[in-house]
Amino acid sequence: METTTSLRRYDLDWLRFFAIILLLFYHTGMLFSSWGWHVKNEETSLLFNYWMIWSHDWRMPLLLFISGAGTFMALGKRSKAQFVRERFTKLFVPLAFGMFVIVPPQIYFERIAEFSSFWEFYPTTFDFDPYPKGNFSWHHLWFIAYLLIYSILILPLLAFLRKPVSQGFKTFMEQIFTKPVAALMIPAVIILLSQLVLRPYFPNETHDFQDWAYFVFYFLFFAFGLIFYSNPKLWDSLGRNRKIFLSAAVLILIPFYGSFLHFRGAWSLPMNPDDVESFFDVTSIFLSWFTVLTIISYGQFYLNRPHPILKYINEGLYPFYILHQTVIIVIGYYICKWDLSIWAKYWIISFGTLEICLGIYFGLIRPFNGVRFLFGMKPVDAEKSEDLKNHSFKTT
């Protein structure tokens, strides 16, 4: 009998789409929030901070959790060597291509005053001097770099979970995590303990394989996604407990925003500044896990159904992720100079980025096997490739 987790999970496909689209609006918001970024609008608004501080805590953990589940599916009937080759093609090739082609315009527009043109700037990429001192970086593609390493690190566990000998371990996990309070608290406490040990020594999120606290933080979401997905009964229990997870995700917002508003000066908590900051960090960890569980559980219950458009969305999400931040920065640099309100600029950049990325995808990526390879996509046969070219040029 085929298990639930060996079937196509349409809910994960829809949630992956949701998470990537959220990144589009989040990264556009970085132009207008009070936080520093590569390119900024002259006028900023704290309204962006209020929703972005919340979504920041779960947007990437959600993607890592989904990626962990997807990695369990990716092994399939492949050998370990085949799995590593597939991960290399899908992850390392787009990462290398992105670092030399997609990311450099981001750095150029951040430092445009230092160069007479992009072509004067571009050779400095090959100095291989790491950003921010130099001009060589993977910027938002850190997610791909980390996912590649996570996939290799998790391979022994992944191979174990695919063998019959793992049934005892799966049953043990099932007995624990099908209980909603345990599913909420035990992973959250494990993640918290890792951060209590590591963050005093590695406090910053630098995405350079030296931010060990955040490296472990994201890896644990990836690992829990794989573990939960490996057992159909455990996975199905998430949907049944969705209301409890939602209650926890809502209630945690009280201490989360309570401490955040303390930083904003809305009120003063009876704690010293260091204690408030520690309290906020701890609350953020619980918010991350509670929110990811809530989204996964409701997605499982309501979104696990196919749609004709879903296969086209799935195919284009990866290239869209690779492209989106560069497009935001390039068009944002110019649109931020326009004499418009913040919100007008925000929506123009958001939907302009969406349209440009779709145009690049349908016109330059999807029809051509060579370009598909650079963006981590599977090739299409010659006949289908010709059809894609004809269709793409008609729609762009």
Side-chain angles (χ1 to χ4, degrees), residues 247-315:
S247 298
V250 171
L251 288 174
I252 199 68
L253 292 177
I254 298 173
F256 177 79
Y257 275 110
S259 51
F260 180 71
L261 290 172
H262 169 91
F263 298 136
R264 297 255 57 89
W267 55 56
S268 180
L269 295 176
M271 304 164 65
N272 68 56
D274 289 341
D275 289 341
V276 176
E277 187 170 351
S278 298
F279 179 72
F280 178 74
D281 290 342
V282 170
T283 303
S284 297
I285 291 170
F286 283 94
L287 182 147
S288 298
W289 180 250
F290 292 174
T291 307
V292 167
L293 272 192
T294 300
I295 294 172
I296 291 292
S297 61
Y298 272 88
Q300 180 195 117
F301 195 80
Y302 290 106
L303 299 178
N304 193 25
R305 49 182 58 88
H307 191 282
I309 199 174
L310 192 56
K311 66 177 181 179
Y312 300 106
I313 290 175
N314 273 334
E315 188 180 47

Side-chain angles (χ1 to χ4, degrees), residues 35-306:
W35 304 316
W37 208 47
H38 312 293
V39 173
K40 297 293 295 184
N41 190 56
E42 184 176 354
E43 180 187 1
T44 60
S45 172
L46 289 175
L47 290 176
F48 287 93
N49 294 51
Y50 285 105
W51 69 267
M52 290 171 64
I53 191 70
W54 167 69
S55 60
H56 172 74
D57 280 334
W58 55 263
R59 58 189 179 87
M60 297 311 295
L62 175 63
L63 267 179
L64 266 302
F65 190 95
I66 294 171
S67 298
T71 299
F72 183 83
M73 288 185 279
L75 180 61
K77 296 181 180 179
R78 296 183 178 98
S79 67
K80 291 182 182 178
Q82 290 171 329
F83 173 80
V84 171
R85 284 196 297 269
E86 186 269 344
R87 295 285 91 181
F88 181 87
T89 301
K90 189 175 180 64
L91 298 173
F92 180 79
V93 171
L95 174 63
F97 173 73
M99 291 175 70
F100 288 104
V101 178
I102 306 300
V103 171
Q106 298 183 34
I107 304 173
Y108 168 68
F109 277 92
E110 179 181 349
R111 299 172 173 178
I112 194 169
E114 302 174 21
F115 301 92
S116 61
S117 70
F118 177 76
W119 305 113
E120 181 191 1
F121 158 82
Y122 187 66
T124 65
T125 302
F126 296 92
D127 293 337
F128 301 109
D129 195 3
Y131 180 91
K133 179 182 178 182
N135 296 323
F136 186 66
S137 175
W138 47 46
H139 270 35
H140 69 295
L141 303 184
W142 71 267
F143 172 74
I144 300 176
Y146 277 45
L147 189 56
L148 176 61
I149 301 303
Y150 291 162
S151 298
I152 304 304
L153 291 177
I154 208 75
L155 188 53
L157 176 61
L158 176 58
F160 168 71
L161 291 174
R162 282 289 189 178
K163 296 177 180 178
V165 71
S166 68
Q167 189 54 50
F169 173 78
K170 291 179 181 178
T171 301
F172 177 68
M173 292 291 102
E174 176 187 328
Q175 291 172 344
I176 295 175
F177 291 124
T178 51
K179 299 177 177 65
V181 175
L184 277 169
M185 297 306 299
I186 294 178
V189 170
I190 292 172
I191 296 168
L192 173 62
L193 290 175
S194 75
Q195 300 308 290
L196 290 176
V197 171
L198 292 171
R199 281 201 195 179
Y201 304 99
F202 307 98
N204 298 318
E205 187 173 3
T206 55
H207 302 150
D208 58 0
F209 291 123
Q210 297 181 47
D211 55 347
W212 292 110
Y214 285 93
F215 181 91
V216 172
F217 175 80
Y218 289 123
F219 177 74
L220 288 172
F221 278 90
F222 178 79
F224 280 122
L226 186 147
I227 291 170
F228 274 65
Y229 191 76
S230 69
N231 186 325
K233 292 181 180 179
L234 175 54
W235 184 261
D236 291 341
S237 72
L238 298 182
R240 293 195 302 272
N241 295 323
R242 64 193 181 281
K243 293 181 180 179
I244 297 174
F245 299 155
L246 176 61
S247 298
V250 171
L251 288 174
I252 199 68
L253 292 177
I254 298 173
F256 177 79
Y257 275 110
S259 51
F260 180 71
L261 290 172
H262 169 91
F263 298 136
R264 297 255 57 89
W267 55 56
S268 180
L269 295 176
M271 304 164 65
N272 68 56
D274 289 341
D275 289 341
V276 176
E277 187 170 351
S278 298
F279 179 72
F280 178 74
D281 290 342
V282 170
T283 303
S284 297
I285 291 170
F286 283 94
L287 182 147
S288 298
W289 180 250
F290 292 174
T291 307
V292 167
L293 272 192
T294 300
I295 294 172
I296 291 292
S297 61
Y298 272 88
Q300 180 195 117
F301 195 80
Y302 290 106
L303 299 178
N304 193 25
R305 49 182 58 88

